[in-house]
Amino acid sequence: MRLHNFVAVLATSAFSSLAHAQISEQCVSSDVCYRLNIPASTARTGSGEIYLSIRGPTTNSWIALGQGSNGMDNANIFMIYTDGNGNVTLSPRHSRGETMPLYDSAVDAELLSGSGVQDDIMTANLRCNNCEGWQSNGRMDFTASSGGWIHARSSGGAMDSSDVEAPIAMHSSHGEFTWPFASAVGGASINPFAETNIAVNTTSGGENQSSINTEAVLWCHGVFASVAFVLLFPLGGVLIRVGSFPGLVWVHAGLQLFAWLLFVTAAGLGIYYGVIDDYMSQAHPIIGILLLGALLFQPLSGWLHHKRFIRTGGRSAFSYSHIWVGRVAILLGMINGGLGMQLSGVTTSYIIVYSVFAGIMGVAYLGAIGFGEITRKRERNTASNIHEMTSHKERATARRSSDA
Ligand code: HEM
Ligand code: HEM
Ligand SMILES: *[C@@H]1O[C@H](CO)[C@@H](O)[C@H](O)[C@H]1NC(C)=O
Ligand SMILES: *[C@@H]1O[C@H](CO)[C@@H](O)[C@H](O)[C@H]1NC(C)=O
């Protein structure tokens, strides 16, 4: 090979490795994607800048990508939201656990050109100069073959805030993934996302990727369980105490059975979410599972009580189990709903509305129990007084109409 040819080949390959930025893209939904470029020198030495891009529709109030493999424990998070002036706000944050990540001024990161809001899509191209190490000794090894990342976003209106410390609503969708670095390493560009000569390797929903729509699951869980415990269960309990009409037992049974199905569904959703998201050691899910266990046989005990009652006209062991398990479970469930809302961090106004409603239903229920027990005692006294006059059969028929 002639010398000038050799030099030309050398120059070309050197130049192309400079211009050829390798970009790895992870798409967690059809329109939310994250991109990563690790310049060759950072991959070789383990320290230096890296480049990240976050892109998604402005129907999200915020979108975030974080470094870390323990969920929200000690994660280094890049959050973006609209700034209200056609650009995005880059808010580097740190999270200690499953609470709102707070602004972290120790992160040395800046927005690059190409960032902005266009056609209802927000894009942040950014360079991070110290992403190999962050506070509380979180580290990411860019010489390794992969690293653990988390991502999340929150549906809702645009935030239009340039405040990097702006308070944010909880995520509506989130997940974790392992990012293989091989296809992200290469080049020495000062803004790889602005290059025309780039190689993008896209992975969507890779095998290590998990993403659940927590908003829908949580919403159904909270609403189903609340309807069961603050509306239907107490209503069924009140009815059997204060009502007296033919077929009352079956109205009670139907209502409670429907509420019971709602609760079992809600419990299933709660367990699914709690296991995936590691919440199962909290008071709320533990009380919930106790309730599920306690109420599992409630329809059966109710039915057995009824069968016994038809024959004897009085309370049996089944009755006491059915009545007392029911009473305790309903009141405990009402309280547990409040604990659930505390756990998920919903707005205080929701908790207030819930508490007022639960309070009214709880008092109405306790009132009905008191009223029912007093009436029952009085009826039994009357019944024994008129014992000589009325046949047993007639009395039983009269009392069976309420079954209580
Ligand atoms: C998950 C389903 C159910 C729940 C949570 C439930 C709950 C309750 C509660 C809390 C009470 C007592 C009301 C009070 O004094 O505080 C009660 C009473 C009663 N339940 Fe149920 N119930 C359920 C299903 C059924 C079924 C399927 C039947 C009948 C087939 C039934 C029949 C009765 C009867 C007859 C009473 C009155 C007992 C008495 O006072 O002697 N229940 N139920
Ligand atoms: C097996 C039973 C249950 C389990 C495993 C469970 C689990 C959970 C979990 C993991 C959360 C979300 C916490 C978070 O995101 O920070 C939650 C929220 C909630 N839970 Fe439960 N729960 C159970 C039973 C109940 C019961 C009996 C109620 C009674 C009303 C209830 C009402 C709620 C409410 C209102 C929320 C807030 C929902 C929202 O943010 O929209 N749960 N639960
Ligand atoms: C957004 O801000 C970055 C950093 O200041 C800048 O480079 C970029 O051009 C801006 N985008 C728009 C659309 O103004
Ligand atoms: C993309 O990256 C994966 C994993 O790093 C690799 O197996 C695959 O060959 C790459 N594809 C392209 C087109 O570079």
Side-chain angles (χ1 to χ4, degrees):
M1 194 191 286
R2 303 258 286 274
L3 185 63
H4 69 270
N5 273 353
F6 179 69
V7 170
V9 168
L10 207 67
T12 318
S13 60
F15 178 75
S16 67
S17 81
L18 274 184
H20 201 83
Q22 287 276 348
I23 290 174
S24 172
E25 182 178 63
Q26 297 275 344
C27 291
V28 294
S29 78
S30 63
D31 49 11
V32 176
C33 294
Y34 304 101
R35 291 177 160 198
L36 169 68
N37 168 251
I38 305 170
S41 69
T42 306
R44 199 170 51 244
T45 63
S47 82
E49 68 278 6
I50 62 160
Y51 295 88
L52 293 168
S53 172
I54 301 171
R55 194 181 74 236
T58 52
T59 48
N60 295 287
S61 54
W62 57 262
I63 304 178
L65 173 67
Q67 298 175 276
S69 27
N70 285 317
M72 288 180 73
D73 285 347
N74 188 24
N76 190 34
I77 295 173
F78 296 96
M79 179 175 291
I80 65 163
Y81 33 87
T82 55
D83 71 354
N85 285 312
N87 212 329
V88 294
T89 301
L90 171 65
S91 170
R93 295 183 182 223
H94 182 258
S95 65
R96 303 199 167 281
E98 290 173 334
T99 53
M100 185 172 85
L102 298 174
Y103 175 67
D104 183 359
S105 60
V107 180
D108 181 7
E110 64 189 308
L111 281 176
L112 305 172
S113 69
S115 304
V117 182
Q118 211 173 27
D119 300 329
D120 299 326
I121 298 288
M122 52 180 160
T123 305
N125 295 333
L126 63 105
R127 173 175 52 236
C128 176
N129 297 314
N130 61 351
C131 269
E132 70 273 11
W134 62 93
Q135 55 166 287
S136 312
N137 298 323
R139 304 205 64 77
M140 182 161 273
D141 181 5
F142 293 112
T143 66
S145 61
S146 67
W149 296 71
I150 60 174
H151 71 91
R153 56 189 183 276
S154 180
S155 59
M159 281 178 58
D160 288 341
S161 168
S162 56
D163 180 4
V164 290
E165 303 187 42
I168 50 150
M170 201 177 86
H171 41 66
S172 51
S173 183
H174 66 91
E176 307 178 39
F177 59 88
T178 299
W179 209 327
F181 290 156
S183 54
V185 171
S189 171
I190 53 160
N191 185 355
F193 309 112
E195 305 282 340
T196 45
N197 183 15
I198 50 172
V200 181
N201 182 333
T202 301
T203 316
S204 28
E207 55 194 41
N208 289 325
Q209 212 151 343
S210 69
S211 184
I212 55 172
N213 188 344
T214 52
E215 193 177 42
V217 170
L218 256 192
W219 190 88
C220 288
H221 167 79
V223 170
F224 286 11
S226 303
V227 167
F229 278 94
V230 296
L231 186 66
L232 300 180
F233 281 150
L235 196 65
V238 168
L239 267 183
I240 203 103
R241 283 288 143 254
V242 305
S244 77
F245 50 85
L248 172 60
V249 199
W250 302 117
V251 173
H252 168 83
L255 199 63
Q256 302 298 58
L257 217 53
F258 175 70
W260 186 80
L261 287 175
L262 273 183
F263 168 55
V264 171
T265 309
L269 293 173
I271 291 170
Y272 167 80
Y273 181 71
V275 166
I276 283 192
D277 235 35
D278 216 11
Y279 273 111
M280 295 314 281
S281 54
Q282 303 280 342
H284 172 78
I286 290 174
I287 295 174
I289 287 173
L290 288 178
L291 287 172
L292 184 65
L295 288 181
L296 214 54
F297 300 106
Q298 192 73 357
L300 184 68
S301 65
W303 186 63
L304 290 174
H305 152 80
H306 180 66
K307 270 182 47 173
R308 267 298 172 85
F309 187 88
I310 297 277
R311 274 197 288 125
T312 65
R315 284 183 177 173
S316 60
F318 297 127
S319 322
Y320 290 109
S321 146
H322 185 79
I323 292 169
W324 282 103
V325 167
R327 286 177 183 174
V328 172
I330 290 171
L331 295 173
L332 196 59
M334 286 179 164
I335 295 168
N336 202 36
L339 295 178
M341 297 176 89
Q342 246 170 24
L343 187 60
S344 70
V346 300
T347 337
T348 319
S349 51
Y350 281 113
I351 302 188
I352 293 172
V353 169
Y354 177 93
S355 308
V356 168
F357 200 77
I360 292 173
M361 289 306 281
V363 167
Y365 179 48
L366 289 174
I369 293 177
F371 171 84
E373 293 297 336
I374 291 168
T375 335
R376 185 169 172 278
K377 274 219 183 79
R378 200 179 295 142
E379 272 172 10
R380 288 180 79 187
N381 289 342
T382 320
S384 52
N385 287 344
I386 56 172
H387 188 241
E388 277 79 46
M389 301 188 278
T390 334
S391 76
H392 173 80
K393 193 160 177 263
E394 266 173 280
R395 265 187 295 121
T397 317
R399 295 212 2 242
R400 199 172 299 146
S401 63
S402 82
D403 210 18

